[in-house]
Amino acid sequence: MREIKIGLLGLGVVGSGVYRLLSENGDFMAQKTGSRLTIKKILVRDLGKPRPVSVPDGTLTTRAEEILEDPEIEIVCELMGGIEPAKSYILSALSAGKHVVTANKAVLAEFGPEVFQAAEAADRGLFFEAAVGGGVPIIKTLRESLSANRIQTITAIVNGTCNYILTRMQESGLSFKEALVEAQKLGFAEADPTLDISGMDSAHKLALLATLSYGSFVPAEKVYVEGIEGLEPLDLAFAKEFGFLTKLLAIAREKEGEVEVRVHPTLVPEGHMLSSVRLAYNAFLLKGDFVGEIMLYGLGAGAEPTASAVVADLLDAARLIISGAKPTSILYRETPLDIKPMPRIVSRYFFRFSAVDRPGVLSKISGILGKHGISIASVIQKGRQIGGSVPIVMLTHEAEESAVRKALSEIDKLDVVTAPTKLLRILED
Ligand SMILES: NC(=O)c1ccc[n+]([C@@H]2O[C@H](COP(=O)([O-])OP(=O)(O)OC[C@H]3O[C@@H](n4cnc5c(N)ncnc54)[C@H](OP(=O)(O)O)[C@@H]3O)[C@@H](O)[C@H]2O)c1
């Protein structure tokens, strides 16, 4: 049986899961694939730190070159996170002729072309299933299973932390802060949750999915991003009255040669497949021109689901080594994608106005909306006093974002309006 030696960079949450999976399922995988994956060395920062797995003496090192320069190691598995030194180690491993498996969405979303080209130049495989969706096989689905399709839309819940917070706000009326503290206590949110709650983590993942779907690098900064920090239980409650649940969605859609890439809180109709995705789960609803709709659902983080994806990549790398086959290219389009500017997107909207409780207010607001071509689909106006003002909540028919922005800036200047209007977009069918 062919033995394939691996160097692990990192033995944290995911690294320990990978170590355990390879130990527990090693025999079973060897029977299945005809090769045995063996971890030869593991890079860590602190040799003395207690670990959830026990590794043989001499396996841990703090010297990356013991992995990157070891000719016996054929696959480097980067599970450190962060940009540097992870990116340099990935590039060094490729140029030393090693295949690379990584879970690092930040490196790929920010430096994709450099890393993809390095893999191509070295003729080595670069695998990153765990970078998006943890244990959910979204990367392979896009790269392999749906490769004959034009991907028309990706509509996804890609951040378990945000989905957990929104579920708790929605179902138990917790404030954003209360739900965040609970998520942190239960290990669903990091001590510093900024990347998650700002939507940036979702933007990194969406950029990567759009890159794979459309074959041209989509930089993360091209993704329009709004996070969930500004959401109030009141907005979620009003949305529910209209029959919607609020989710942080990552949306990519191609239409007439342009691609929209955006991450923002979105109202999803109750009964829609994505509305039933609760707590820390992720889901990916894909629409291909021939396959139609496909949905993938599962845990997007955690040691075990993520290890499942990483080890599947290690097995794919092993198959490349055994067969000597050429790895498939990731980028295939020469020209950059046309990203549709946000002001030109068309959506239905939810507005919550805060206004003084006086006759004629509603007609002033609807007059400005009408002037900008925005038509109202339904209204809820309740006499609930909040800080001396009442909320007026409206749903619109389809409108262009630029018209909505202009109308709201006029409305927010009215003397009867007491706070900036809350805007949420509604998921289009
Ligand atoms: N956690 C998840 O559920 C999850 C899910 C999907 C993807 N990912 C991705 O997987 C990667 C790893 O995440 P994680 O949660 O496992 O991280 P983690 O628990 O923080 O572990 C990081 C590991 O890398 C080592 N390390 C970090 N910087 C190093 C350096 N400069 N030199 C040597 N060793 C270094 C650390 O060593 P010490 O142990 O000695 O400190 C630690 O073992 C990240 O890219 C993350 O985005 C994570």
Side-chain angles (χ1 to χ4, degrees), residues 9-15 43-47 49 51 62 78-82 84-85 89 102-105 130-131 134 190 300-303 306:
L9 306 178
L11 189 62
V13 175
V14 182
L43 179 74
V44 291
R45 264 181 306 219
D46 177 359
L47 292 174
K49 194 169 169 178
R51 309 271 166 195
T62 53
E78 186 278 308
L79 303 170
M80 299 162 53
E84 284 296 354
Y89 291 167
T102 177
N104 197 324
K105 69 207 150 246
E190 311 245 348
T306 312

Coordinates of all heavy atoms in Angstrom, one line a residue, residues 9-15 43-47 49 51 62 78-82 84-85 89 102-105 130-131 134 190 300-303 306, ligand 1:
L9 N 0.2 22.2 9.0 CA 0.5 23.5 9.6 C -0.6 23.9 10.5 O -1.7 24.4 10.0 CB 0.7 24.5 8.4 CG 1.7 24.2 7.3 CD1 1.8 25.3 6.3 CD2 3.1 23.9 7.9
G10 N -0.5 23.7 11.8 CA -1.5 24.1 12.7 C -2.2 22.8 13.4 O -2.5 21.9 12.7
L11 N -2.3 22.9 14.7 CA -3.0 21.8 15.4 C -4.0 22.5 16.4 O -4.0 22.2 17.6 CB -2.0 20.9 16.1 CG -2.5 19.6 16.8 CD1 -3.1 18.7 15.7 CD2 -1.4 18.9 17.6
G12 N -4.8 23.3 15.8 CA -5.8 24.0 16.7 C -7.2 23.2 16.5 O -7.2 22.0 16.5
V13 N -8.3 24.0 16.4 CA -9.6 23.3 16.4 C -9.6 22.4 15.2 O -9.9 21.2 15.3 CB -10.7 24.4 16.2 CG1 -12.1 23.8 16.0 CG2 -10.7 25.3 17.4
V14 N -9.3 22.9 14.0 CA -9.5 22.0 12.8 C -8.3 21.0 12.7 O -8.6 19.8 12.4 CB -9.5 22.9 11.5 CG1 -9.7 22.1 10.3 CG2 -10.6 24.0 11.6
G15 N -7.1 21.5 13.0 CA -6.0 20.5 12.9 C -6.2 19.3 13.8 O -5.9 18.2 13.4
L43 N 3.3 21.7 12.5 CA 3.8 23.0 12.9 C 2.9 23.6 13.9 O 1.6 23.7 13.6 CB 4.0 23.9 11.7 CG 4.5 25.3 12.0 CD1 6.0 25.3 12.3 CD2 4.2 26.3 10.9
V44 N 3.4 24.1 15.0 CA 2.6 24.9 16.0 C 3.4 26.1 16.5 O 4.6 26.1 16.2 CB 2.2 24.0 17.2 CG1 1.2 22.9 16.8 CG2 3.4 23.4 17.9
R45 N 2.8 26.9 17.2 CA 3.5 28.1 17.8 C 4.1 27.7 19.1 O 5.2 28.1 19.5 CB 2.5 29.2 18.1 CG 2.5 30.2 17.0 CD 1.5 31.3 17.4 NE 0.2 30.8 17.7 CZ -0.9 31.4 17.3 NH1 -0.9 32.5 16.7 NH2 -2.1 30.9 17.7
D46 N 3.4 26.9 19.9 CA 3.8 26.6 21.3 C 3.8 25.1 21.5 O 2.8 24.4 21.6 CB 2.7 27.3 22.2 CG 2.9 27.1 23.7 OD1 3.9 26.3 24.0 OD2 2.1 27.6 24.5
L47 N 5.0 24.6 21.7 CA 5.2 23.1 21.8 C 4.6 22.6 23.1 O 4.2 21.5 23.2 CB 6.7 22.8 21.8 CG 7.4 23.0 20.5 CD1 8.9 22.7 20.6 CD2 6.8 22.1 19.4
K49 N 1.8 23.6 24.7 CA 0.4 23.9 24.9 C -0.4 22.5 25.1 O -0.1 21.6 24.3 CB -0.1 24.6 23.7 CG -1.5 25.2 23.8 CD -1.5 26.2 22.5 CE -2.9 26.7 22.3 NZ -3.0 27.6 21.2
R51 N -3.0 19.8 24.3 CA -3.8 19.6 23.0 C -4.9 18.5 23.3 O -4.7 17.6 24.1 CB -2.8 19.0 22.0 CG -1.5 19.7 21.8 CD -1.7 20.8 20.7 NE -0.5 21.7 20.8 CZ -0.5 22.9 20.2 NH1 -1.6 23.3 19.5 NH2 0.5 23.7 20.3
T62 N 8.3 23.8 15.8 CA 8.0 25.3 15.6 C 8.7 25.8 14.3 O 8.7 27.0 14.1 CB 8.4 26.1 16.8 OG1 9.7 25.8 17.1 CG2 7.5 25.8 18.0
E78 N -2.6 23.3 5.3 CA -2.4 24.6 6.0 C -3.7 24.8 6.8 O -4.8 25.0 6.3 CB -2.2 25.7 5.1 CG -1.9 27.0 5.7 CD -3.2 27.8 6.1 OE1 -4.0 28.0 5.2 OE2 -3.3 28.2 7.3
L79 N -3.6 24.8 8.2 CA -4.8 25.0 9.1 C -4.4 26.0 10.2 O -4.7 25.8 11.3 CB -5.2 23.6 9.6 CG -5.6 22.6 8.6 CD1 -5.8 21.2 9.2 CD2 -6.8 23.0 7.8
M80 N -3.6 27.0 9.8 CA -3.2 28.0 10.8 C -4.2 29.2 10.8 O -4.4 29.7 11.9 CB -1.8 28.5 10.4 CG -0.7 27.5 10.3 SD 0.7 28.1 9.4 CE 1.0 29.6 10.2
G81 N -4.7 29.6 9.6 CA -5.5 30.7 9.5 C -4.7 32.0 9.4 O -3.4 32.0 9.5
G82 N -5.3 33.1 9.2 CA -4.6 34.4 9.0 C -3.9 34.5 7.7 O -3.9 33.5 6.9
E84 N -0.6 36.0 6.9 CA 0.8 35.6 7.0 C 1.1 35.0 8.4 O 0.5 35.5 9.4 CB 1.8 36.8 6.8 CG 1.9 37.2 5.3 CD 2.5 36.2 4.4 OE1 3.0 35.1 4.9 OE2 2.5 36.4 3.2
P85 N 2.0 34.0 8.5 CA 2.8 33.4 7.4 C 2.1 32.3 6.6 O 2.7 31.7 5.7 CB 3.9 32.8 8.2 CG 3.3 32.4 9.5 CD 2.3 33.4 9.8
Y89 N 3.7 30.2 3.4 CA 3.9 28.8 3.5 C 3.2 28.0 2.4 O 3.8 27.0 1.9 CB 3.4 28.3 4.9 CG 4.3 28.7 6.1 CD1 3.8 28.6 7.4 CD2 5.5 29.4 5.9 CE1 4.5 29.0 8.5 CE2 6.2 29.8 7.0 CZ 5.7 29.7 8.3 OH 6.5 30.1 9.3
T102 N -6.0 23.5 2.1 CA -6.1 24.6 3.0 C -7.5 24.9 3.4 O -8.4 24.6 2.5 CB -5.4 25.9 2.5 OG1 -5.6 27.0 3.5 CG2 -6.0 26.4 1.2
A103 N -7.8 25.4 4.6 CA -9.1 25.9 5.0 C -9.2 27.4 5.0 O -10.1 27.9 5.6 CB -9.5 25.2 6.3
N104 N -8.2 28.0 4.5 CA -8.0 29.5 4.7 C -8.7 30.4 3.7 O -8.1 30.7 2.7 CB -6.5 29.7 4.7 CG -6.1 31.0 5.3 OD1 -6.8 32.0 5.2 ND2 -5.0 31.1 6.0
K105 N -10.0 30.7 4.0 CA -10.7 31.6 3.0 C -10.1 32.9 2.9 O -10.2 33.6 1.8 CB -12.2 31.7 3.4 CG -12.4 32.5 4.7 CD -13.6 32.1 5.4 CE -13.4 32.4 6.9 NZ -13.4 31.3 7.8
A130 N -12.8 23.1 2.8 CA -13.2 23.6 4.1 C -13.2 25.1 4.3 O -13.7 25.6 5.3 CB -12.2 23.0 5.2
A131 N -12.8 25.8 3.2 CA -12.7 27.3 3.3 C -14.1 27.9 3.3 O -14.3 29.0 3.8 CB -11.9 27.8 2.2
G134 N -17.6 24.8 5.9 CA -17.1 23.7 6.8 C -17.3 22.4 6.2 O -16.7 22.0 5.2
E190 N -16.8 34.0 18.1 CA -15.4 34.2 18.6 C -15.4 35.3 19.6 O -16.4 36.1 19.6 CB -14.5 34.7 17.4 CG -14.6 33.8 16.2 CD -13.3 33.1 15.9 OE1 -12.3 33.4 16.5 OE2 -13.3 32.2 15.1
G300 N -21.4 24.5 9.2 CA -20.4 25.3 8.4 C -19.1 25.5 9.2 O -18.2 26.1 8.8
A301 N -19.1 24.9 10.4 CA -17.9 25.1 11.3 C -17.8 24.0 12.3 O -18.7 23.1 12.4 CB -17.9 26.5 12.0
G302 N -16.7 24.0 13.1 CA -16.6 23.0 14.1 C -15.5 22.0 13.7 O -15.3 21.8 12.5
A303 N -14.8 21.4 14.7 CA -13.7 20.5 14.4 C -14.1 19.4 13.5 O -13.4 19.1 12.5 CB -13.1 20.0 15.8
T306 N -15.5 20.3 9.8 CA -14.5 20.9 9.0 C -13.4 19.9 8.6 O -12.9 19.8 7.5 CB -13.9 22.1 9.7 OG1 -15.0 22.9 10.2 CG2 -13.0 22.9 8.8
Ligands
LIG1 N1 -12.7 26.5 13.4 C1 -13.6 26.2 12.5 O1 -14.7 25.7 12.7 C2 -13.2 26.5 11.0 C3 -14.2 26.2 10.0 C4 -13.8 26.4 8.7 C5 -12.6 26.9 8.4 N2 -11.7 27.2 9.4 C6 -10.4 27.7 9.0 O2 -9.4 26.8 9.4 C7 -8.2 27.4 9.7 C8 -7.8 27.0 11.2 O3 -8.8 27.4 12.1 P1 -8.8 26.9 13.6 O4 -10.1 27.3 14.2 O5 -8.4 25.5 13.7 O6 -7.6 27.9 14.2 P2 -6.9 27.7 15.7 O7 -7.7 26.9 16.6 O8 -6.6 29.1 16.1 O9 -5.6 26.9 15.3 C9 -4.5 27.5 14.6 C10 -3.3 26.6 14.7 O10 -2.3 27.2 14.0 C11 -1.1 27.3 14.7 N3 -0.5 28.6 14.3 C12 -1.0 29.8 14.1 N4 -0.2 30.7 13.7 C13 1.0 30.1 13.7 C14 2.4 30.5 13.4 N5 2.6 31.7 13.0 N6 3.3 29.5 13.4 C15 3.1 28.3 13.8 N7 1.9 27.8 14.1 C16 0.8 28.7 14.1 C17 -1.5 27.4 16.2 O11 -0.5 27.0 17.0 P3 -0.7 26.9 18.7 O12 -1.7 25.8 18.8 O13 0.6 26.5 19.2 O14 -1.2 28.2 19.1 C18 -2.8 26.5 16.2 O15 -2.3 25.1 16.4 C19 -8.5 28.9 9.6 O16 -8.1 29.3 8.3 C20 -10.0 29.0 9.7 O17 -10.6 30.1 9.0 C21 -12.0 27.0 10.7

